[in-house]
Amino acid sequence: MRHLEMSKKIVGGKYVKIELDLDNDIIKKVLISGDFFAYPIEEFENFLNTLREIKFTVKEVETVFKEYEEKIVFSGIGINDLKEMFFQLFKE
Amino acid sequence: MGRWRLLVSEGTAQYNMALDEAILTLNEVKEKLNVLRLYIFKPSAITIGYFQKVYETVNVDYAYKNGVPIVRRITGGGAVFHDENGEITYSVIAKIGDIAFDIQESYRKICNGILFALNHFGLEGKFEPVNDVIVNGKKVSGSAQTRKVKTLLQHGTLMYNTDLSKIEQLLIVPKDKLASHSAKTIYDRVTTLSREKGVAISRENAIKALKEGFEKAFSINLVEDDLDEEEKDLAERLVKKYSQREWNFRW
Protein backbone atom coordinates (compact mmCIF):
# COMPACT_ATOMS: atom_id res chain seq x y z
CA MET A 1 0.00 0.00 0.00
CA ARG A 2 1.41 3.40 -0.99
CA HIS A 3 0.40 6.57 0.85
CA LEU A 4 0.49 9.92 -0.88
CA GLU A 5 -0.45 13.26 0.59
CA MET A 6 -0.25 16.93 -0.18
CA SER A 7 -1.55 20.02 1.58
CA LYS A 8 -1.83 23.59 0.47
CA LYS A 9 -3.15 26.91 1.72
CA ILE A 10 -4.85 28.45 -1.28
CA VAL A 11 -3.86 32.10 -1.75
CA GLY A 12 -6.80 34.21 -0.59
CA GLY A 13 -8.67 31.01 0.24
CA LYS A 14 -8.68 27.99 2.48
CA TYR A 15 -6.47 25.11 3.57
CA VAL A 16 -6.85 21.77 1.82
CA LYS A 17 -5.15 18.40 2.19
CA ILE A 18 -5.42 15.39 -0.10
CA GLU A 19 -4.52 11.93 1.17
CA LEU A 20 -4.49 8.81 -0.96
CA ASP A 21 -3.81 5.17 -0.22
CA LEU A 22 -2.94 3.21 -3.35
CA ASP A 23 -2.79 -0.51 -3.83
CA ASN A 24 -1.23 -1.46 -7.17
CA ASP A 25 -2.18 2.01 -8.42
CA ILE A 26 -5.83 1.54 -7.43
CA ILE A 27 -7.14 4.25 -5.10
CA LYS A 28 -8.24 2.41 -1.97
CA LYS A 29 -8.69 5.41 0.28
CA VAL A 30 -9.10 9.09 -0.49
CA LEU A 31 -9.64 11.96 1.90
CA ILE A 32 -9.88 15.63 1.04
CA SER A 33 -9.88 17.63 4.25
CA GLY A 34 -9.59 21.25 5.29
CA ASP A 35 -11.52 24.37 6.20
CA PHE A 36 -13.01 24.88 2.75
CA PHE A 37 -16.65 24.68 1.72
CA ALA A 38 -18.28 22.34 -0.80
CA TYR A 39 -21.95 22.39 -1.76
CA PRO A 40 -23.84 20.16 -1.63
CA ILE A 41 -21.99 17.93 0.82
CA GLU A 42 -23.76 14.83 -0.56
CA GLU A 43 -22.23 15.37 -4.02
CA PHE A 44 -18.83 15.91 -2.47
CA GLU A 45 -19.18 12.55 -0.71
CA ASN A 46 -20.24 10.98 -4.02
CA PHE A 47 -17.17 12.54 -5.64
CA LEU A 48 -14.90 10.88 -3.06
CA ASN A 49 -16.75 7.57 -3.38
CA THR A 50 -16.33 7.68 -7.17
CA LEU A 51 -12.59 8.27 -6.82
CA ARG A 52 -12.33 5.15 -4.69
CA GLU A 53 -11.45 1.99 -6.59
CA ILE A 54 -10.44 3.77 -9.80
CA LYS A 55 -6.95 3.46 -11.23
CA PHE A 56 -4.72 6.36 -10.25
CA THR A 57 -4.09 7.65 -13.75
CA VAL A 58 -4.51 11.14 -15.17
CA LYS A 59 -7.22 9.90 -17.51
CA GLU A 60 -9.33 8.18 -14.84
CA VAL A 61 -9.01 11.00 -12.31
CA GLU A 62 -9.84 13.61 -14.95
CA THR A 63 -12.95 11.65 -15.91
CA VAL A 64 -14.19 11.78 -12.31
CA PHE A 65 -13.42 15.51 -12.03
CA LYS A 66 -15.31 16.13 -15.25
CA GLU A 67 -18.33 14.23 -13.94
CA TYR A 68 -18.49 16.33 -10.78
CA GLU A 69 -17.25 19.78 -11.81
CA GLU A 70 -20.80 20.96 -12.54
CA LYS A 71 -22.30 19.22 -9.54
CA ILE A 72 -20.18 20.69 -6.75
CA VAL A 73 -19.63 24.34 -5.93
CA PHE A 74 -16.48 24.95 -3.94
CA SER A 75 -15.75 28.00 -1.86
CA GLY A 76 -12.32 28.86 -0.49
CA ILE A 77 -10.75 26.48 -2.99
CA GLY A 78 -11.35 25.87 -6.66
CA ILE A 79 -11.81 22.58 -8.41
CA ASN A 80 -8.72 23.49 -10.44
CA ASP A 81 -6.71 23.74 -7.22
CA LEU A 82 -7.72 20.17 -6.40
CA LYS A 83 -6.91 18.99 -9.92
CA GLU A 84 -3.51 20.64 -9.76
CA MET A 85 -2.78 18.93 -6.44
CA PHE A 86 -3.76 15.56 -7.86
CA PHE A 87 -1.43 16.19 -10.81
CA GLN A 88 1.38 17.02 -8.38
CA LEU A 89 0.70 13.71 -6.63
CA PHE A 90 1.02 11.87 -9.96
CA LYS A 91 4.61 13.06 -10.10
CA GLU A 92 5.46 11.49 -6.75
CA MET B 1 -41.49 44.08 5.94
CA GLY B 2 -41.16 40.31 6.35
CA ARG B 3 -41.44 38.44 9.60
CA TRP B 4 -38.86 35.94 10.79
CA ARG B 5 -38.79 33.81 13.94
CA LEU B 6 -36.21 34.66 16.56
CA LEU B 7 -35.06 31.79 18.79
CA VAL B 8 -32.78 32.70 21.67
CA SER B 9 -31.40 29.88 23.81
CA GLU B 10 -28.45 28.20 25.41
CA GLY B 11 -27.53 24.55 25.37
CA THR B 12 -24.85 21.96 24.81
CA ALA B 13 -22.85 21.83 21.58
CA GLN B 14 -24.55 18.56 20.66
CA TYR B 15 -28.00 20.06 21.15
CA ASN B 16 -27.18 23.30 19.35
CA MET B 17 -25.90 21.51 16.27
CA ALA B 18 -28.84 19.10 16.36
CA LEU B 19 -31.32 21.96 16.55
CA ASP B 20 -29.75 23.80 13.62
CA GLU B 21 -29.98 20.64 11.52
CA ALA B 22 -33.55 19.96 12.67
CA ILE B 23 -34.80 23.42 11.73
CA LEU B 24 -32.95 23.28 8.39
CA THR B 25 -34.47 19.88 7.61
CA LEU B 26 -38.01 20.96 8.53
CA ASN B 27 -37.83 24.34 6.80
CA GLU B 28 -36.69 22.57 3.62
CA VAL B 29 -39.81 20.40 3.44
CA LYS B 30 -42.45 22.65 5.03
CA GLU B 31 -43.68 26.16 4.49
CA LYS B 32 -42.21 27.79 7.55
CA LEU B 33 -40.91 31.22 8.43
CA ASN B 34 -37.23 31.94 8.13
CA VAL B 35 -35.38 31.71 11.43
CA LEU B 36 -32.66 33.58 13.23
CA ARG B 37 -31.21 31.69 16.18
CA LEU B 38 -28.99 33.43 18.71
CA TYR B 39 -27.46 30.96 21.12
CA ILE B 40 -24.84 30.22 23.69
CA PHE B 41 -22.80 27.03 24.00
CA LYS B 42 -23.13 25.87 27.58
CA PRO B 43 -20.70 24.50 28.51
CA SER B 44 -18.08 26.10 26.25
CA ALA B 45 -17.25 23.82 23.34
CA ILE B 46 -15.35 23.45 20.10
CA THR B 47 -17.02 22.89 16.77
CA ILE B 48 -15.04 21.79 13.75
CA GLY B 49 -15.87 22.12 10.07
CA TYR B 50 -17.43 19.18 8.26
CA PHE B 51 -14.29 18.53 6.18
CA GLN B 52 -11.72 18.99 8.93
CA LYS B 53 -9.54 16.34 10.54
CA VAL B 54 -10.06 16.65 14.24
CA TYR B 55 -6.50 15.82 15.34
CA GLU B 56 -5.02 18.33 12.90
CA THR B 57 -7.35 21.07 14.13
CA VAL B 58 -7.87 20.65 17.85
CA ASN B 59 -5.60 19.91 20.81
CA VAL B 60 -7.82 16.97 21.61
CA ASP B 61 -6.07 15.85 24.79
CA TYR B 62 -6.08 19.36 26.20
CA ALA B 63 -9.75 19.78 25.34
CA TYR B 64 -10.65 16.50 27.08
CA LYS B 65 -8.59 17.32 30.16
CA ASN B 66 -10.41 20.62 30.42
CA GLY B 67 -13.89 19.24 29.75
CA VAL B 68 -14.37 21.00 26.43
CA PRO B 69 -16.55 18.92 24.09
CA ILE B 70 -15.69 18.66 20.39
CA VAL B 71 -18.50 18.44 17.87
CA ARG B 72 -18.40 18.26 14.08
CA ARG B 73 -20.69 20.63 12.20
CA ILE B 74 -22.63 19.94 9.02
CA THR B 75 -21.13 23.12 7.61
CA GLY B 76 -17.65 23.54 6.23
CA GLY B 77 -15.11 26.06 7.45
CA GLY B 78 -12.73 26.03 10.36
CA ALA B 79 -12.69 25.11 14.02
CA VAL B 80 -14.33 27.48 16.48
CA PHE B 81 -14.04 27.81 20.23
CA HIS B 82 -17.45 28.81 21.56
CA ASP B 83 -16.81 30.53 24.87
CA GLU B 84 -19.96 30.45 26.98
CA ASN B 85 -18.91 33.71 28.59
CA GLY B 86 -17.78 35.54 25.50
CA GLU B 87 -19.31 34.32 22.27
CA ILE B 88 -22.74 34.26 20.70
CA THR B 89 -23.48 31.99 17.80
CA TYR B 90 -26.05 32.99 15.24
CA SER B 91 -27.84 30.76 12.74
CA VAL B 92 -29.77 31.98 9.77
CA ILE B 93 -32.06 29.30 8.37
CA ALA B 94 -33.79 30.81 5.38
CA LYS B 95 -35.08 30.21 1.90
CA ILE B 96 -32.13 30.62 -0.44
CA GLY B 97 -34.27 32.85 -2.67
CA ASP B 98 -34.77 35.26 0.24
CA ILE B 99 -31.02 35.68 0.66
CA ALA B 100 -29.04 35.04 -2.56
CA PHE B 101 -28.48 32.09 -4.86
CA ASP B 102 -24.84 33.03 -5.31
CA ILE B 103 -22.93 31.60 -2.35
CA GLN B 104 -20.47 34.45 -1.88
CA GLU B 105 -23.24 37.00 -2.18
CA SER B 106 -25.27 35.16 0.47
CA TYR B 107 -22.32 35.29 2.88
CA ARG B 108 -21.95 38.99 2.23
CA LYS B 109 -25.66 39.67 2.79
CA ILE B 110 -25.89 37.65 6.01
CA CYS B 111 -22.68 39.16 7.35
CA ASN B 112 -24.27 42.59 6.90
CA GLY B 113 -26.25 41.66 10.02
CA ILE B 114 -22.96 41.41 11.92
CA LEU B 115 -21.70 44.68 10.44
CA PHE B 116 -24.83 46.49 11.63
CA ALA B 117 -24.48 44.86 15.05
CA LEU B 118 -20.93 46.23 15.24
CA ASN B 119 -22.24 49.72 14.44
CA HIS B 120 -24.35 49.42 17.61
CA PHE B 121 -21.05 49.57 19.53
CA GLY B 122 -19.59 52.31 17.38
CA LEU B 123 -17.35 49.84 15.57
CA GLU B 124 -16.83 49.77 11.82
CA GLY B 125 -16.51 46.24 10.50
CA LYS B 126 -15.66 44.90 7.09
CA PHE B 127 -16.73 41.70 5.35
CA GLU B 128 -13.65 39.79 4.22
CA PRO B 129 -14.42 36.98 1.78
CA VAL B 130 -14.76 34.04 2.03
CA ASN B 131 -16.55 34.17 5.39
CA ASP B 132 -15.05 36.59 7.89
CA VAL B 133 -15.95 39.90 9.45
CA ILE B 134 -13.00 41.96 10.61
CA VAL B 135 -12.65 44.97 12.87
CA ASN B 136 -9.46 47.02 12.85
CA GLY B 137 -7.83 44.32 10.73
CA LYS B 138 -8.72 41.43 13.06
CA LYS B 139 -11.38 38.75 12.85
CA VAL B 140 -14.33 39.16 15.18
CA SER B 141 -16.74 36.82 13.39
CA GLY B 142 -16.53 33.81 11.11
CA SER B 143 -19.37 32.06 9.33
CA ALA B 144 -20.10 28.72 7.71
CA GLN B 145 -22.90 27.65 5.43
CA THR B 146 -24.56 24.57 4.09
CA ARG B 147 -27.44 24.29 1.67
CA LYS B 148 -30.33 22.03 0.86
CA VAL B 149 -32.19 22.56 -2.42
CA LYS B 150 -34.38 25.44 -1.21
CA THR B 151 -33.00 26.34 2.20
CA LEU B 152 -29.67 27.44 3.60
CA LEU B 153 -28.20 27.29 7.04
CA GLN B 154 -25.48 29.74 7.89
CA HIS B 155 -24.11 29.83 11.35
CA GLY B 156 -21.40 32.06 12.66
CA THR B 157 -19.83 33.64 15.65
CA LEU B 158 -19.70 36.98 17.32
CA MET B 159 -16.87 37.17 19.81
CA TYR B 160 -17.86 39.87 22.24
CA ASN B 161 -15.59 38.80 25.09
CA THR B 162 -14.03 35.44 24.14
CA ASP B 163 -11.01 34.36 26.17
CA LEU B 164 -8.48 34.41 23.33
CA SER B 165 -5.91 32.50 25.37
CA LYS B 166 -8.26 29.51 25.27
CA ILE B 167 -8.36 29.62 21.47
CA GLU B 168 -4.59 29.51 21.50
CA GLN B 169 -4.59 26.52 23.86
CA LEU B 170 -7.42 24.53 22.29
CA LEU B 171 -7.08 25.03 18.56
CA ILE B 172 -4.22 24.21 16.22
CA VAL B 173 -3.84 27.12 13.87
CA PRO B 174 -1.32 26.45 11.10
CA LYS B 175 1.42 29.10 10.97
CA ASP B 176 0.94 29.55 7.21
CA LYS B 177 -2.73 30.35 7.83
CA LEU B 178 -1.78 33.06 10.31
CA ALA B 179 0.96 34.29 7.99
CA SER B 180 -1.52 34.60 5.13
CA HIS B 181 -3.26 37.22 7.27
CA SER B 182 0.06 38.88 8.19
CA ALA B 183 -0.35 37.57 11.73
CA LYS B 184 2.20 35.85 13.95
CA THR B 185 -0.08 34.82 16.79
CA ILE B 186 -3.78 34.34 17.34
CA TYR B 187 -3.85 37.74 19.07
CA ASP B 188 -2.78 39.42 15.81
CA ARG B 189 -5.50 37.64 13.87
CA VAL B 190 -8.54 37.48 16.18
CA THR B 191 -10.18 40.01 18.45
CA THR B 192 -13.31 40.64 20.51
CA LEU B 193 -15.71 43.54 20.80
CA SER B 194 -14.60 44.15 24.38
CA ARG B 195 -10.95 44.27 23.35
CA GLU B 196 -11.64 46.71 20.55
CA LYS B 197 -13.82 48.95 22.70
CA GLY B 198 -11.64 48.74 25.80
CA VAL B 199 -14.69 48.03 27.98
CA ALA B 200 -16.49 44.81 28.89
CA ILE B 201 -19.45 44.21 26.61
CA SER B 202 -22.28 42.17 28.07
CA ARG B 203 -23.99 39.17 26.54
CA GLU B 204 -27.38 40.92 26.69
CA ASN B 205 -26.05 43.91 24.81
CA ALA B 206 -24.43 41.70 22.18
CA ILE B 207 -27.69 39.78 21.66
CA LYS B 208 -29.65 43.03 21.35
CA ALA B 209 -27.15 44.35 18.80
CA LEU B 210 -27.35 41.16 16.74
CA LYS B 211 -31.15 41.18 16.75
CA GLU B 212 -31.26 44.77 15.57
CA GLY B 213 -28.41 44.20 13.13
CA PHE B 214 -30.16 41.33 11.36
CA GLU B 215 -33.49 43.19 11.33
CA LYS B 216 -31.78 46.05 9.57
CA ALA B 217 -29.77 43.86 7.20
CA PHE B 218 -32.84 42.02 5.92
CA SER B 219 -35.52 44.67 6.55
CA ILE B 220 -37.43 42.17 8.70
CA ASN B 221 -39.25 41.99 11.99
CA LEU B 222 -37.84 39.35 14.29
CA VAL B 223 -40.53 37.85 16.49
CA GLU B 224 -39.34 35.89 19.49
CA ASP B 225 -40.76 32.38 19.34
CA ASP B 226 -40.50 28.91 20.87
CA LEU B 227 -39.67 25.64 19.21
CA ASP B 228 -42.61 23.64 17.94
CA GLU B 229 -43.04 19.96 18.81
CA GLU B 230 -41.61 18.70 15.51
CA GLU B 231 -38.47 20.76 15.96
CA LYS B 232 -38.06 19.54 19.53
CA ASP B 233 -38.57 15.90 18.52
CA LEU B 234 -36.19 15.98 15.58
CA ALA B 235 -33.54 17.89 17.53
CA GLU B 236 -33.72 15.36 20.35
CA ARG B 237 -33.22 12.52 17.88
CA LEU B 238 -30.30 14.30 16.19
CA VAL B 239 -28.50 14.92 19.49
CA LYS B 240 -27.45 11.28 19.34
CA LYS B 241 -25.62 11.83 16.04
CA TYR B 242 -23.68 14.80 17.42
CA SER B 243 -22.79 12.85 20.55
CA GLN B 244 -21.22 9.95 18.68
CA ARG B 245 -17.52 9.51 18.11
CA GLU B 246 -18.31 8.05 14.66
CA TRP B 247 -19.54 11.49 13.62
CA ASN B 248 -17.32 13.86 15.58
CA PHE B 249 -14.09 11.93 15.02
CA ARG B 250 -14.88 10.48 11.61
CA TRP B 251 -11.70 12.07 10.20
Side-chain angles (χ1 to χ4, degrees), chain A residues 8-35:
Chain A
K8 191 176 177 182
K9 164 78 172 70
I10 307 299
V11 178
K14 299 293 183 183
Y15 171 82
V16 61
K17 182 177 184 181
I18 299 175
E19 292 169 81
L20 298 172
D21 282 346
L22 305 176
D23 188 7
N24 288 323
D25 281 344
I26 302 291
I27 299 177
K28 289 291 174 188
K29 198 175 155 193
V30 56
L31 180 61
I32 302 176
S33 60
D35 58 355

mmCIF file of all heavy atoms in Angstrom, chain A residues 8-35:
data_model
loop_
_atom_site.group_PDB
_atom_site.id
_atom_site.type_symbol
_atom_site.label_atom_id
_atom_site.label_comp_id
_atom_site.label_asym_id
_atom_site.label_seq_id
_atom_site.Cartn_x
_atom_site.Cartn_y
_atom_site.Cartn_z
ATOM 1 N N LYS A 8 -2.086 22.285 1.063
ATOM 2 C CA LYS A 8 -1.828 23.594 0.469
ATOM 3 C C LYS A 8 -2.771 24.617 1.089
ATOM 4 O O LYS A 8 -3.945 24.317 1.332
ATOM 5 C CB LYS A 8 -2.106 23.498 -1.040
ATOM 6 C CG LYS A 8 -1.652 24.666 -1.856
ATOM 7 C CD LYS A 8 -1.916 24.368 -3.331
ATOM 8 C CE LYS A 8 -1.536 25.542 -4.176
ATOM 9 N NZ LYS A 8 -1.824 25.309 -5.592
ATOM 10 N N LYS A 9 -2.263 25.804 1.344
ATOM 11 C CA LYS A 9 -3.146 26.915 1.718
ATOM 12 C C LYS A 9 -3.331 27.723 0.426
ATOM 13 O O LYS A 9 -2.382 28.264 -0.127
ATOM 14 C CB LYS A 9 -2.468 27.748 2.815
ATOM 15 C CG LYS A 9 -3.068 29.121 3.040
ATOM 16 C CD LYS A 9 -4.346 29.042 3.848
ATOM 17 C CE LYS A 9 -4.838 30.443 4.232
ATOM 18 N NZ LYS A 9 -5.354 31.231 3.128
ATOM 19 N N ILE A 10 -4.558 27.745 -0.031
ATOM 20 C CA ILE A 10 -4.845 28.454 -1.276
ATOM 21 C C ILE A 10 -4.722 29.961 -1.035
ATOM 22 O O ILE A 10 -5.260 30.475 -0.054
ATOM 23 C CB ILE A 10 -6.280 28.129 -1.781
ATOM 24 C CG1 ILE A 10 -6.485 26.603 -1.881
ATOM 25 C CG2 ILE A 10 -6.581 28.835 -3.093
ATOM 26 C CD1 ILE A 10 -5.577 25.875 -2.836
ATOM 27 N N VAL A 11 -4.043 30.644 -1.918
ATOM 28 C CA VAL A 11 -3.861 32.095 -1.754
ATOM 29 C C VAL A 11 -5.237 32.778 -1.762
ATOM 30 O O VAL A 11 -6.030 32.593 -2.683
ATOM 31 C CB VAL A 11 -2.963 32.671 -2.880
ATOM 32 C CG1 VAL A 11 -2.824 34.189 -2.725
ATOM 33 C CG2 VAL A 11 -1.600 31.999 -2.858
ATOM 34 N N GLY A 12 -5.500 33.527 -0.707
ATOM 35 C CA GLY A 12 -6.797 34.211 -0.591
ATOM 36 C C GLY A 12 -7.948 33.257 -0.305
ATOM 37 O O GLY A 12 -9.115 33.626 -0.397
ATOM 38 N N GLY A 13 -7.615 32.005 0.031
ATOM 39 C CA GLY A 13 -8.667 31.012 0.240
ATOM 40 C C GLY A 13 -8.400 30.155 1.459
ATOM 41 O O GLY A 13 -7.932 30.643 2.483
ATOM 42 N N LYS A 14 -8.674 28.888 1.334
ATOM 43 C CA LYS A 14 -8.675 27.993 2.480
ATOM 44 C C LYS A 14 -7.568 26.941 2.386
ATOM 45 O O LYS A 14 -6.898 26.806 1.357
ATOM 46 C CB LYS A 14 -10.038 27.301 2.584
ATOM 47 C CG LYS A 14 -11.202 28.264 2.774
ATOM 48 C CD LYS A 14 -11.119 28.952 4.121
ATOM 49 C CE LYS A 14 -12.315 29.852 4.362
ATOM 50 N NZ LYS A 14 -12.209 30.575 5.636
ATOM 51 N N TYR A 15 -7.466 26.176 3.464
ATOM 52 C CA TYR A 15 -6.473 25.107 3.569
ATOM 53 C C TYR A 15 -7.101 23.808 3.056
ATOM 54 O O TYR A 15 -8.268 23.523 3.337
ATOM 55 C CB TYR A 15 -6.075 24.961 5.036
ATOM 56 C CG TYR A 15 -5.217 23.763 5.340
ATOM 57 C CD1 TYR A 15 -3.838 23.788 5.128
ATOM 58 C CD2 TYR A 15 -5.790 22.599 5.848
ATOM 59 C CE1 TYR A 15 -3.068 22.678 5.410
ATOM 60 C CE2 TYR A 15 -5.014 21.488 6.141
ATOM 61 C CZ TYR A 15 -3.654 21.535 5.923
ATOM 62 O OH TYR A 15 -2.880 20.439 6.191
ATOM 63 N N VAL A 16 -6.341 23.048 2.310
ATOM 64 C CA VAL A 16 -6.854 21.765 1.821
ATOM 65 C C VAL A 16 -5.733 20.722 1.833
ATOM 66 O O VAL A 16 -4.573 21.043 1.584
ATOM 67 C CB VAL A 16 -7.484 21.914 0.412
ATOM 68 C CG1 VAL A 16 -6.477 22.384 -0.613
ATOM 69 C CG2 VAL A 16 -8.159 20.624 -0.041
ATOM 70 N N LYS A 17 -6.119 19.503 2.157
ATOM 71 C CA LYS A 17 -5.147 18.402 2.195
ATOM 72 C C LYS A 17 -5.752 17.206 1.474
ATOM 73 O O LYS A 17 -6.922 16.867 1.710
ATOM 74 C CB LYS A 17 -4.847 18.031 3.642
ATOM 75 C CG LYS A 17 -3.820 16.926 3.809
ATOM 76 C CD LYS A 17 -3.565 16.709 5.297
ATOM 77 C CE LYS A 17 -2.480 15.676 5.532
ATOM 78 N NZ LYS A 17 -2.258 15.447 6.974
ATOM 79 N N ILE A 18 -4.980 16.611 0.598
ATOM 80 C CA ILE A 18 -5.421 15.394 -0.096
ATOM 81 C C ILE A 18 -4.577 14.232 0.402
ATOM 82 O O ILE A 18 -3.348 14.332 0.442
ATOM 83 C CB ILE A 18 -5.268 15.525 -1.630
ATOM 84 C CG1 ILE A 18 -6.135 16.670 -2.152
ATOM 85 C CG2 ILE A 18 -5.633 14.217 -2.327
ATOM 86 C CD1 ILE A 18 -5.944 16.945 -3.638
ATOM 87 N N GLU A 19 -5.228 13.149 0.754
ATOM 88 C CA GLU A 19 -4.518 11.928 1.171
ATOM 89 C C GLU A 19 -5.044 10.753 0.367
ATOM 90 O O GLU A 19 -6.260 10.592 0.223
ATOM 91 C CB GLU A 19 -4.755 11.664 2.657
ATOM 92 C CG GLU A 19 -4.105 12.692 3.558
ATOM 93 C CD GLU A 19 -4.588 12.560 4.991
ATOM 94 O OE1 GLU A 19 -4.074 11.693 5.704
ATOM 95 O OE2 GLU A 19 -5.487 13.317 5.370
ATOM 96 N N LEU A 20 -4.110 9.976 -0.156
ATOM 97 C CA LEU A 20 -4.491 8.815 -0.957
ATOM 98 C C LEU A 20 -3.752 7.574 -0.477
ATOM 99 O O LEU A 20 -2.568 7.650 -0.172
ATOM 100 C CB LEU A 20 -4.092 9.030 -2.428
ATOM 101 C CG LEU A 20 -4.722 10.179 -3.201
ATOM 102 C CD1 LEU A 20 -4.034 10.309 -4.557
ATOM 103 C CD2 LEU A 20 -6.202 9.928 -3.391
ATOM 104 N N ASP A 21 -4.460 6.468 -0.419
ATOM 105 C CA ASP A 21 -3.811 5.168 -0.224
ATOM 106 C C ASP A 21 -4.002 4.378 -1.505
ATOM 107 O O ASP A 21 -5.148 4.202 -1.966
ATOM 108 C CB ASP A 21 -4.447 4.404 0.944
ATOM 109 C CG ASP A 21 -3.955 4.928 2.281
ATOM 110 O OD1 ASP A 21 -2.954 5.674 2.293
ATOM 111 O OD2 ASP A 21 -4.584 4.610 3.302
ATOM 112 N N LEU A 22 -2.884 3.928 -2.079
ATOM 113 C CA LEU A 22 -2.937 3.209 -3.353
ATOM 114 C C LEU A 22 -2.476 1.773 -3.162
ATOM 115 O O LEU A 22 -1.506 1.510 -2.453
ATOM 116 C CB LEU A 22 -2.011 3.868 -4.382
ATOM 117 C CG LEU A 22 -2.214 5.363 -4.655
ATOM 118 C CD1 LEU A 22 -1.146 5.862 -5.624
ATOM 119 C CD2 LEU A 22 -3.594 5.605 -5.240
ATOM 120 N N ASP A 23 -3.205 0.882 -3.814
ATOM 121 C CA ASP A 23 -2.793 -0.515 -3.828
ATOM 122 C C ASP A 23 -2.683 -0.924 -5.292
ATOM 123 O O ASP A 23 -3.706 -0.965 -5.993
ATOM 124 C CB ASP A 23 -3.844 -1.361 -3.091
ATOM 125 C CG ASP A 23 -3.377 -2.793 -2.903
ATOM 126 O OD1 ASP A 23 -2.197 -3.081 -3.229
ATOM 127 O OD2 ASP A 23 -4.176 -3.609 -2.428
ATOM 128 N N ASN A 24 -1.456 -1.166 -5.743
ATOM 129 C CA ASN A 24 -1.227 -1.456 -7.171
ATOM 130 C C ASN A 24 -1.873 -0.390 -8.064
ATOM 131 O O ASN A 24 -2.568 -0.697 -9.026
ATOM 132 C CB ASN A 24 -1.780 -2.832 -7.558
ATOM 133 C CG ASN A 24 -0.937 -3.938 -6.983
ATOM 134 O OD1 ASN A 24 0.297 -3.809 -6.914
ATOM 135 N ND2 ASN A 24 -1.581 -5.005 -6.556
ATOM 136 N N ASP A 25 -1.678 0.853 -7.663
ATOM 137 C CA ASP A 25 -2.184 2.011 -8.418
ATOM 138 C C ASP A 25 -3.710 2.144 -8.415
ATOM 139 O O ASP A 25 -4.270 2.959 -9.154
ATOM 140 C CB ASP A 25 -1.672 2.024 -9.863
ATOM 141 C CG ASP A 25 -0.250 2.537 -9.940
ATOM 142 O OD1 ASP A 25 0.200 3.159 -8.952
ATOM 143 O OD2 ASP A 25 0.409 2.324 -10.964
ATOM 144 N N ILE A 26 -4.379 1.354 -7.602
ATOM 145 C CA ILE A 26 -5.829 1.536 -7.427
ATOM 146 C C ILE A 26 -6.037 2.380 -6.163
ATOM 147 O O ILE A 26 -5.442 2.092 -5.118
ATOM 148 C CB ILE A 26 -6.562 0.176 -7.263
ATOM 149 C CG1 ILE A 26 -6.317 -0.726 -8.458
ATOM 150 C CG2 ILE A 26 -8.055 0.396 -7.002
ATOM 151 C CD1 ILE A 26 -6.957 -0.272 -9.760
ATOM 152 N N ILE A 27 -6.877 3.414 -6.277
ATOM 153 C CA ILE A 27 -7.144 4.252 -5.101
ATOM 154 C C ILE A 27 -8.031 3.463 -4.138
ATOM 155 O O ILE A 27 -9.166 3.116 -4.452
ATOM 156 C CB ILE A 27 -7.842 5.574 -5.497
ATOM 157 C CG1 ILE A 27 -6.961 6.395 -6.447
ATOM 158 C CG2 ILE A 27 -8.186 6.396 -4.252
ATOM 159 C CD1 ILE A 27 -7.598 7.679 -6.957
ATOM 160 N N LYS A 28 -7.475 3.169 -2.966
ATOM 161 C CA LYS A 28 -8.236 2.414 -1.974
ATOM 162 C C LYS A 28 -8.857 3.353 -0.945
ATOM 163 O O LYS A 28 -9.896 3.054 -0.366
ATOM 164 C CB LYS A 28 -7.318 1.410 -1.254
ATOM 165 C CG LYS A 28 -6.909 0.260 -2.140
ATOM 166 C CD LYS A 28 -8.129 -0.617 -2.414
ATOM 167 C CE LYS A 28 -7.831 -1.715 -3.405
ATOM 168 N NZ LYS A 28 -9.058 -2.437 -3.792
ATOM 169 N N LYS A 29 -8.179 4.466 -0.704
ATOM 170 C CA LYS A 29 -8.691 5.415 0.280
ATOM 171 C C LYS A 29 -8.383 6.817 -0.218
ATOM 172 O O LYS A 29 -7.264 7.063 -0.708
ATOM 173 C CB LYS A 29 -7.986 5.146 1.617
ATOM 174 C CG LYS A 29 -8.684 5.735 2.810
ATOM 175 C CD LYS A 29 -7.964 5.295 4.086
ATOM 176 C CE LYS A 29 -8.213 6.300 5.197
ATOM 177 N NZ LYS A 29 -7.343 6.114 6.335
ATOM 178 N N VAL A 30 -9.338 7.694 -0.119
ATOM 179 C CA VAL A 30 -9.101 9.088 -0.489
ATOM 180 C C VAL A 30 -9.797 9.984 0.528
ATOM 181 O O VAL A 30 -10.938 9.738 0.908
ATOM 182 C CB VAL A 30 -9.575 9.385 -1.937
ATOM 183 C CG1 VAL A 30 -11.038 9.029 -2.140
ATOM 184 C CG2 VAL A 30 -9.367 10.854 -2.297
ATOM 185 N N LEU A 31 -9.063 10.993 0.969
ATOM 186 C CA LEU A 31 -9.644 11.960 1.896
ATOM 187 C C LEU A 31 -9.219 13.352 1.456
ATOM 188 O O LEU A 31 -8.037 13.597 1.212
ATOM 189 C CB LEU A 31 -9.169 11.671 3.327
ATOM 190 C CG LEU A 31 -9.703 12.606 4.411
ATOM 191 C CD1 LEU A 31 -11.234 12.545 4.491
ATOM 192 C CD2 LEU A 31 -9.108 12.253 5.762
ATOM 193 N N ILE A 32 -10.179 14.224 1.329
ATOM 194 C CA ILE A 32 -9.884 15.635 1.039
ATOM 195 C C ILE A 32 -10.404 16.422 2.235
ATOM 196 O O ILE A 32 -11.612 16.476 2.472
ATOM 197 C CB ILE A 32 -10.549 16.098 -0.271
ATOM 198 C CG1 ILE A 32 -10.067 15.231 -1.440
ATOM 199 C CG2 ILE A 32 -10.240 17.576 -0.535
ATOM 200 C CD1 ILE A 32 -10.728 15.538 -2.780
ATOM 201 N N SER A 33 -9.474 16.959 3.012
ATOM 202 C CA SER A 33 -9.880 17.628 4.254
ATOM 203 C C SER A 33 -9.421 19.077 4.249
ATOM 204 O O SER A 33 -8.579 19.475 3.447
ATOM 205 C CB SER A 33 -9.292 16.883 5.460
ATOM 206 O OG SER A 33 -7.883 16.870 5.386
ATOM 207 N N GLY A 34 -9.988 19.849 5.161
ATOM 208 C CA GLY A 34 -9.586 21.246 5.286
ATOM 209 C C GLY A 34 -10.728 22.121 5.735
ATOM 210 O O GLY A 34 -11.812 21.634 6.084
ATOM 211 N N ASP A 35 -10.490 23.437 5.713
ATOM 212 C CA ASP A 35 -11.521 24.369 6.197
ATOM 213 C C ASP A 35 -12.261 25.048 5.048
ATOM 214 O O ASP A 35 -12.790 26.133 5.190
ATOM 215 C CB ASP A 35 -10.918 25.405 7.154
ATOM 216 C CG ASP A 35 -9.798 26.218 6.534
ATOM 217 O OD1 ASP A 35 -9.412 25.928 5.380
ATOM 218 O OD2 ASP A 35 -9.308 27.153 7.192
#
